[in-house]
Amino acid sequence: MPSSKPIGLGWRSNTLFIVSTVGIGLFTDLFLYGLVVPVLPYILRDRVNLPEDQIQSHVSALLAAYAGASVLSSPPAGIIADRVSTRQAPFLAGLVALLGATLLLFLGQSFPVLILARILQGISGAVVWTIGLALLLDTVGPENLGKTIGSVFGFISIGELAAPVLGGVVYKKAGYSGVFGMGGAILAIDFIMRLLLIEKKTAAKWQTHDGVSRGSREEQEGDAPTDGEDGDEQEPLLRRKEEDNYEVPDGQSKVVRSFPILYILKDPRLLTALLLAFNQATLLAAFDATIPTEAEDLFGFDSLQSGLLFIALVLPYLLLGPVAGWLVDRYGPKPAAVLGFGYLVPVLALLRLARPGGTSQVVIFCALLTFCGIGLAAIGSPSIVEASYVVSRYDKANPGFFGEQGPYAQLYGFNSMVFSLGLTVGPLISGGLRIELGYGNMNLVLAGLCLVTASLSVVYIGGKPKFLKRR
């Protein structure tokens, strides 16, 4: 045990401070991403001196560099995080990568330097999401994960909403220095909070009573009603048979022993949970990609007016995300996944009602976006909670197989990878469909995707329903 107790141990290891630090970290990632994207065309034009007809293709390449780096970096980030003694070190390393990316974007005078900056930004995003979600689970336990995720996601949605608007306004008023100065201030706050953070398991070295140690977390996993089923009504023999399904048989390959999360990836519940994350990201990216262009076509909106439309979409997420998360904690992820994606089917189909016109049509469009925001709030938590629950069952049934810290960071690495894929695919699919089929029909396709997702959630999320088990 260290000889001296750290200053401020109580508040630095406090649950609220840790959750706030993770929230600020995720907020910073999304905020800087959104802050820089609107400025990229001007950087390419003014600094790199690209001709106008090459701006769009190079902007797309910069966006792809971020997404590709995030996808490729997420699984390694999870593996490293599960094998080091503390999650704080890689969490700080991700911020260093983000700082380097921001400096390169501010100072870069050539396209390769900008590509390198975006790659560093993608790596940072992968690290902060992977390590951040693992820290949340370590801190609050699985029985509080849903409402915590809902609250954090609601908070960081502010950054996602405000960044493009602020980026455009500040660039117009203060130029590049103003934009990157604002980003630097947020980075400084983020760095201080990550540096001050003390993990619960580290604080336990000085504290006799630690509420979120690994042992207590395992007890919580056994008691938490995350599965959404009434365990008291099950017979003990049936319960034991169900637990046997999570035991990993002997004789696994060297690859599986080295990366044990690979064994769990064949579980249909986990695969469905990852599909939920992919489709959630696809929907978010589709809104980001098509709302500005549709608003310009329908109402003649400029970039600032289009950005303000996102308030209608994000505000319900901010207000209802914690409530939806609490419901997931209380009743399991199945109802939220089924009802959330099912609710989005008619709502997305109704987006075709918006027509070119004045204030009345803008109000209709905003109302429909608000309804969509309610659905997005409902589907924000089920994926992570379900995936965490499935992995916790394997971890508990196979002591030591997944290492001292379990495979949770690896899980969130894969979750981050899948989510990044959705963010990459979403604009491509929605943009292409909007051009070929029109905005209304594009949303019909997305509604069909939600219908399929809701149907799979009925079967797999939270385990098979009883009427299917009897067959």
Side-chain angles (χ1 to χ4, degrees):
M1 178 182 292
S3 56
S4 60
K5 183 177 177 180
I7 298 174
L9 176 65
W11 64 265
R12 290 170 64 185
S13 61
N14 180 269
T15 298
L16 179 60
F17 181 74
I18 296 175
V19 171
S20 299
T21 301
V22 173
I24 289 293
L26 300 179
F27 175 93
T28 302
D29 176 67
L30 283 180
F31 186 85
L32 289 182
Y33 176 87
L35 189 71
V36 170
V37 167
V39 183
L40 289 178
Y42 303 100
I43 293 177
L44 293 171
R45 183 183 300 114
D46 299 340
R47 288 201 213 149
V48 186
N49 297 317
L50 283 178
E52 194 67 35
D53 60 350
Q54 295 183 25
I55 297 293
Q56 181 61 62
S57 61
H58 282 71
V59 167
S60 299
L62 290 172
L63 295 176
Y66 174 91
S70 183
V71 168
L72 295 176
S73 303
S74 295
I79 292 170
I80 292 171
D82 278 337
R83 295 186 177 180
V84 296
S85 59
T86 173
R87 303 204 195 276
Q88 185 183 26
F91 203 42
L92 277 169
L95 189 62
V96 172
L98 184 57
L99 176 61
T102 305
L103 289 174
L104 288 176
L105 284 170
F106 181 50
L107 301 173
Q109 300 289 329
S110 66
F111 186 68
V113 172
L114 297 180
I115 284 286
L116 176 60
R118 293 294 288 171
I119 289 174
L120 285 174
Q121 199 172 16
I123 293 173
S124 171
V127 171
V128 71
W129 282 87
T130 300
I131 309 299
L133 292 175
L135 260 175
L136 286 181
L137 179 63
D138 291 346
T139 302
V140 304
E143 81 283 6
N144 293 313
L145 187 61
K147 61 186 176 187
T148 304
I149 290 293
S151 300
V152 169
F153 279 21
F155 167 69
I156 64 177
S157 65
I158 300 174
E160 186 180 18
L161 166 68
V165 179
L166 287 175
V169 171
V170 172
Y171 174 76
K172 185 179 293 186
K173 299 293 183 182
Y176 298 116
S177 299
V179 172
F180 288 99
M182 181 166 54
I186 294 176
L187 274 171
I189 296 172
D190 190 8
F191 176 77
I192 292 172
M193 293 187 71
R194 292 195 206 191
L195 196 61
L196 291 174
L197 180 146
I198 297 178
E199 297 176 56
K200 291 285 188 182
K201 61 184 177 183
T202 304
K205 297 174 183 178
W206 292 277
Q207 295 173 337
T208 306
H209 302 289
D210 175 37
V212 202
S213 65
R214 177 162 174 77
S216 64
R217 189 180 72 199
E218 288 175 349
E219 292 172 8
Q220 292 166 345
E221 287 166 355
D223 298 336
T226 336
D227 205 15
E229 297 183 4
D230 188 357
D232 293 337
E233 296 179 359
Q234 297 180 359
E235 297 178 2
L237 187 60
L238 183 61
R239 177 186 291 275
R240 178 60 197 166
K241 183 178 178 181
E242 192 169 310
E243 289 176 353
D244 289 343
N245 294 333
Y246 296 97
E247 292 183 358
V248 179
D250 296 331
Q252 297 299 316
S253 67
K254 185 177 180 180
V255 174
V256 172
R257 291 197 304 272
S258 300
F259 308 103
I261 190 68
L262 295 176
Y263 181 86
I264 313 178
L265 287 176
K266 67 180 183 180
D267 190 297
R269 287 181 60 180
L270 180 57
L271 290 175
T272 306
L274 293 176
L275 177 65
L276 260 61
F278 176 83
N279 289 342
Q280 178 193 2
T282 300
L283 289 173
L284 290 171
F287 284 123
D288 287 343
T290 60
I291 287 177
T293 51
E294 187 66 14
E296 182 181 7
D297 291 347
L298 290 177
F299 315 121
F301 278 6
D302 59 23
S303 58
L304 179 58
Q305 291 171 312
S306 298
L308 293 175
L309 281 176
F310 282 91
I311 295 176
L313 185 69
V314 175
L315 191 59
Y317 201 167
L318 175 63
L319 298 177
L320 299 178
V323 178
W326 178 84
L327 292 173
V328 168
D329 289 335
R330 179 66 180 83
Y331 298 105
K334 185 191 288 286
V338 174
L339 295 176
F341 279 102
Y343 163 85
L344 282 169
V345 173
V347 172
L348 287 168
L350 288 173
L351 277 172
R352 68 191 308 113
L353 295 178
R355 294 286 185 269
T359 303
S360 62
Q361 289 299 318
V362 174
V363 170
I364 291 174
F365 193 52
C366 287
L368 293 172
L369 290 178
T370 300
F371 293 144
C372 289
I374 295 171
L376 292 177
I379 66 174
S381 302
S383 170
I384 292 177
V385 173
E386 172 71 356
S388 301
Y389 178 78
V390 172
V391 169
S392 73
R393 295 292 292 268
Y394 279 98
D395 189 23
K396 189 176 179 181
N398 303 274
F401 182 77
F402 296 100
E404 183 181 350
Q405 299 195 79
Y408 298 98
Q410 297 174 59
L411 166 67
Y412 297 137
F414 277 99
N415 184 274
S416 176
M417 179 185 72
V418 169
F419 199 86
S420 297
L421 279 174
L423 292 178
T424 305
V425 171
L428 299 176
I429 293 178
S430 59
L433 289 174
R434 182 177 178 272
I435 293 172
E436 296 296 328
L437 304 178
Y439 187 67
N441 290 329
M442 176 207 81
N443 283 301
L444 279 181
V445 175
L446 294 179
L449 179 67
C450 289
L451 180 61
V452 172
T453 307
S455 301
L456 291 173
S457 298
V458 171
V459 178
Y460 293 113
I461 295 298
K464 288 186 177 180
K466 293 180 179 180
F467 70 90
L468 287 178
K469 287 182 178 180
R470 294 194 186 102
R471 293 184 178 181

